[in-house]
Amino acid sequence: MAAAALGWALRAARQVLPTSCTGQVRGYYVDWRMLRDVKRRKLAYEYADERLRINAIRKNTILPKELQEVADKEIAALPRDSCPVRIRNRCVLTSRPRGVKRRWRLSRIVFRHFADHAQMSGVQRAMW
Amino acid sequence: TSTVLSTKEDGSTPSADSTTKEASKSQKDSAETPKKKLLSLIGDMKVEVSSMRKFQQLNKPDTNKQTGTQREGLRGRSGALPKATEDARRSKPLKRELVEAVSAVASSLPLNKEKTESDLLAQLRRHEETTDKQKKGGTVNIRNVISDMTVKRESPARRGVRISNLISLELEEDGKRIKPEQLGYQSSDSRRYFLSLRVGRRLNIFTKTSPDTKNTLTTASSPTIWDLEFAKEVAAVTNQPPRNGFEEMIQWTKEGILWEFPIDNEAGMEDDAEFHEHIFLEKHLEDFPKQGPIRHFMELVICGLSKNPYLTVKQKIEHIEWFQKYFEEKQEYLQEI
């Protein structure tokens, strides 16, 4: 009972998508993993400049090594989600982590579904 | 009805001023009403009409209100009967039937009869005086007001302005435009209405409302649902779908979906800086030491920034400033080395 109530509360606290556009819009992200990925992307965007500069000091042969060690410690102190390496290109519609084509940001299954229904512009079944 | 009046006169007996009653006796009627009976009972009463002293002393009693309806009803018929010759004290004599009615009413009431009679007669006299005043001098007051209101002769420019206003308002009625022939007819009618607005002296009836209250009211209620609905309706009516491909392309270009032709390579790029500001960044290195590894490092940074076409000048300057701050913080640490 307590676990179910906790789960319900967690689910309810899910981040609501900003619904500024008109038409049919889904109000939530597909799942929690997608939400975490969104957070990571936001943080990575915020700390991108700082990481670039500190890394420029680190990956250096001119500056003294002591300075580079200090820079190492500084970059480690930044929040873990701010590094771009943790971002995973998930499917936009199903949040599938694998089999995602970068151009359409869709997983292979969703892509195939839309292409067969002629809802992908310029996409055709290959035949040669 | 005249029957009531005639019966009253028949019922009253000759008094000291009996000349009033002599003429009335000529008219007779056979109709009997309860009022006639009342009057016949009171018929012996003398009517005091000529005592001015009593009228001045007495006050207005409250019973006048009750008798007001009766008196006014009787007065309406006063014009039918001729006036009687009275003494020269009063400017205009009171009507006979009014006097008789007054006597009857006074006698019917439980209060002091003489007093009520005199009071009623005094009020009747006052009423008559006021009516005389209105008939003679009332028109003068109105004339004073009207004389100030002069009719302005409208200049042709003003008329043109008015017609143009009419034109702008009357367009697109039922999807058609009104011809200027019809407008000419309308303007002549509206001319009279338009003239009376700004003509004449200020009456100072209305006080100017402060504009602050108006503004606050409008701003508080601006995003109402009804306003949104109205805006939606207007948009639905005005934003008609494009009739052909050209209009569709125009719409897309306005929205930004379609590029503008001939294609402008710098469309959307708002960087106003010249090329030398991007490339020659050494002037920002003035605060750095001129010798040492830091200078070497910063020169490499500047070389890289000058080759970057994607950053704006502002972003490049921010990079350099950040490095400056960072090295200043580490100054103490660097001096140990």
Side-chain angles (χ1 to χ4, degrees), chain A residues 46-108:
Chain A
E46 277 179 35
Y47 288 93
D49 286 338
E50 271 189 55
R51 288 191 96 95
L52 175 72
R53 289 157 192 163
I54 295 168
N55 270 328
I57 293 168
R58 282 170 69 226
K59 313 288 178 183
N60 220 332
T61 51
I62 302 158
L63 293 172
K65 282 183 188 176
E66 293 82 4
L67 205 62
Q68 285 169 3
E69 282 165 18
V70 167
D72 284 339
K73 287 174 194 170
E74 273 190 19
I75 204 167
L78 290 177
R80 195 166 282 191
D81 275 348
S82 64
C83 61
V85 184
R86 290 169 70 91
I87 294 168
R88 180 80 197 189
N89 290 327
R90 287 178 164 272
C91 171
V92 163
L93 294 179
T94 55
S95 178
R96 198 161 190 276
R98 295 193 176 94
V100 181
K101 289 309 285 180
R102 206 169 185 142
R103 184 173 168 184
W104 297 277
R105 301 179 188 176
L106 294 174
S107 82
R108 56 180 177 80

Side-chain angles (χ1 to χ4, degrees), chain B residues 287-298:
Chain B
D287 294 332
F288 286 94
K290 300 207 178 172
Q291 298 291 335
I294 293 173
R295 182 78 188 194
H296 189 36
F297 173 74
M298 286 314 295

